[in-house]
Amino acid sequence: MGQAEQKTSRKPRADSLRNREKLLRAARDVFSAGGPEASLEAVARTAGVGIGTLYRHFPTREALFRDVYAHEVDELEALAGATSSAADPVEALRLWLHAAVGMVATKKGMLAALAPAVDSTDPFFAETTSRTRGAVERLMARAVASGAIRDDVSAEDVIRALIGMCYTRDQPGWQPTVLRLLDVFVDGLRTGPKG
Amino acid sequence: MGQAEQKTSRKPRADSLRNREKLLRAARDVFSAGGPEASLEAVARTAGVGIGTLYRHFPTREALFRDVYAHEVDELEALAGATSSAADPVEALRLWLHAAVGMVATKKGMLAALAPAVDSTDPFFAETTSRTRGAVERLMARAVASGAIRDDVSAEDVIRALIGMCYTRDQPGWQPTVLRLLDVFVDGLRTGPKG
DNA sequence: TTGATAAACGGAGGCACCCTCCGTATAACA
DNA sequence: TGTTATACGGAGGGTGCCTCCGTTTATCAA
């Protein structure tokens, strides 16, 4: 006893896989607009599936949130890869930061509201955090190697600056302001005299 | 026109005043347990009044929250006055910090969740913040004057440390840990050699 | 003291959200 | 093409938000 019999299981149903994807896309949109506290029923509505289907795929809000978050980190990494092949390495970094602001819009309230709430030893968040840091490190290494930016600022510093600037994300029209501040910051990173 | 006729208004009803007090007491308890997002119906239930009465006295959650917050700041100031008359000035500061942790428990999630959300130019929060800072400044001035603690740490620094340490307030059993950390911090403030 | 009345009370009601449960529909397999 | 494991949808019960209004009551004048 205790040995569960294992029957050759069927392959997952096609509609199930489709709905999962629809839910993830919808969750990205809805969390983007309303933050991680947004209504799950709104997610289901947006996805065009029943609320029961949402809960079957993602038993808790956290489960859904994590998948969305992991997806965003994937995109950030991919974006870093893409821009890093661009001409000017500093421009690549700048573009990446701008894209990251777009992601913070998606993760509205996420960093402040969830990261501290979750046990920081949580392997999931540790992993995604380090992946993000790695992406920034690669971007910066190129710019430093080319001598375009100073070498005494770490990827963590840049991310911290990014997060800090995004702290105003609750005020209306924050995004253009933050983008401008980031441009100033990037200018500050550049080596050589001004004017 | 436009001149509202002023009739000698009656004096406020006694039950109204009573209920307001009951609501404030209840709000303090309920916010203490559940943070500023706690159920207003729970507040009304705890106060033993109808939900309509709550909304009549405090038309918005913010209105209720502010009154509770102002009350807490009053207490912090009063406490600073009380402990400052105590024997050892460093001990006075330490006691005040411990009491402040109790207040953060009441204001669960308040600093992180509300302070940045509210426009920081908001006169209400500016005023309460400066009152709190003033209280700490007075406590520290005494300790500095007596030569017991270093003089290169500002009241704002101390408050920042307090807030930072309280960032773990979501984890179970955070309070004893924070109190211990604060004691260590206060020891760090002391002048003179160790051991 | 007693009535009139302004003021306050309480909670029902309409809406949204959370999550569970289960009858129905359907994709996978034989 | 039939069987059946799997997934679907949404009703339903609970909670909270806030408004509205019929009822109660404290105040004040006679």
Side-chain angles (χ1 to χ4, degrees):
Chain A
M1 64 281 237
Q3 302 283 94
E5 91 271 48
Q6 70 208 86
K7 40 181 66 176
T8 345
S9 56
R10 296 180 168 194
K11 79 177 177 189
R13 279 172 58 159
D15 55 349
S16 175
L17 270 52
R18 263 199 312 274
N19 282 335
R20 188 186 182 83
E21 280 314 302
K22 280 199 272 185
L23 280 165
L24 281 173
R25 269 196 297 276
R28 208 145 27 113
D29 291 350
V30 172
F31 283 155
S32 167
E37 317 282 278
S39 155
L40 295 186
E41 301 208 322
V43 172
R45 275 196 300 274
T46 305
V49 306
I51 184 66
T53 298
L54 183 150
Y55 276 97
R56 199 171 323 101
H57 283 287
F58 305 98
T60 67
R61 174 184 293 273
E62 170 102 348
L64 178 56
F65 177 77
R66 285 188 174 202
D67 270 20
V68 171
Y69 183 37
H71 190 267
E72 295 298 325
V73 173
D74 286 348
E75 287 193 347
L76 274 185
E77 279 192 307
L79 196 78
T83 62
S84 81
S85 68
D88 178 4
V90 179
E91 181 65 9
L93 177 61
R94 201 182 68 85
L95 286 176
W96 184 87
L97 286 171
H98 279 216
V101 170
M103 169 174 152
V104 168
T106 296
K107 296 190 305 168
K108 194 182 174 196
M110 178 195 243
L111 295 165
L114 277 187
V118 169
D119 185 10
S120 54
T121 62
D122 184 310
F124 172 80
F125 280 99
E127 194 250 328
T128 52
T129 299
S130 101
R131 281 205 290 145
T132 307
R133 192 177 54 232
V136 175
E137 272 163 1
R138 283 190 294 278
L139 279 172
M140 293 181 68
R142 247 187 93 220
V144 168
S146 78
I149 68 169
R150 45 198 295 180
D151 63 357
D152 61 346
V153 176
S154 72
E156 272 197 62
D157 290 336
V158 170
I159 294 172
R160 219 188 307 272
L162 174 65
I163 292 173
M165 289 182 191
C166 289
Y167 233 75
T168 61
R169 71 194 167 293
D170 286 318
Q171 276 143 33
W174 63 278
Q175 219 159 335
T177 304
V178 169
L179 294 181
R180 201 165 33 74
L181 287 175
L182 281 174
D183 286 354
V184 172
F185 177 71
V186 170
D187 274 352
L189 287 179
R190 291 179 205 275
T191 53
K194 289 213 161 195
Chain B
M1 63 282 235
Q3 302 284 93
E5 92 273 46
Q6 71 209 87
K7 41 180 67 174
T8 347
S9 56
R10 297 181 168 191
K11 81 175 175 188
R13 281 173 56 157
D15 53 350
S16 175
L17 270 50
R18 263 199 313 273
N19 282 336
R20 187 186 183 82
E21 280 313 304
K22 281 200 270 183
L23 280 166
L24 281 173
R25 268 196 298 276
R28 209 146 25 114
D29 291 350
V30 172
F31 284 156
S32 168
E37 316 282 279
S39 155
L40 295 185
E41 301 210 322
V43 172
R45 275 196 300 273
T46 304
V49 306
I51 185 66
T53 298
L54 183 149
Y55 276 99
R56 198 171 324 99
H57 284 286
F58 305 98
T60 66
R61 172 184 295 272
E62 170 101 348
L64 177 57
F65 176 76
R66 285 189 175 201
D67 271 21
V68 170
Y69 182 38
H71 189 268
E72 295 297 324
V73 172
D74 286 347
E75 287 194 346
L76 274 184
E77 279 191 307
L79 196 78
T83 62
S84 80
S85 68
D88 178 3
V90 179
E91 182 65 7
L93 177 61
R94 201 182 68 86
L95 286 176
W96 185 86
L97 284 171
H98 278 217
V101 170
M103 170 174 152
V104 168
T106 297
K107 296 190 306 167
K108 193 182 175 196
M110 178 195 243
L111 295 166
L114 277 189
V118 169
D119 186 9
S120 55
T121 62
D122 183 309
F124 171 80
F125 280 98
E127 193 250 329
T128 52
T129 298
S130 100
R131 280 205 292 143
T132 308
R133 192 176 52 233
V136 176
E137 272 162 1
R138 283 189 294 278
L139 279 172
M140 291 181 69
R142 247 186 94 223
V144 167
S146 78
I149 68 170
R150 44 196 296 179
D151 62 357
D152 60 348
V153 176
S154 73
E156 272 198 61
D157 290 334
V158 170
I159 294 173
R160 218 188 307 272
L162 174 66
I163 292 174
M165 288 182 192
C166 289
Y167 234 76
T168 62
R169 71 194 166 292
D170 286 319
Q171 276 143 33
W174 63 279
Q175 221 159 334
T177 303
V178 169
L179 294 180
R180 199 164 34 75
L181 287 175
L182 280 174
D183 285 355
V184 172
F185 178 72
V186 170
D187 273 352
L189 287 178
R190 291 180 204 276
T191 52
K194 288 217 164 193

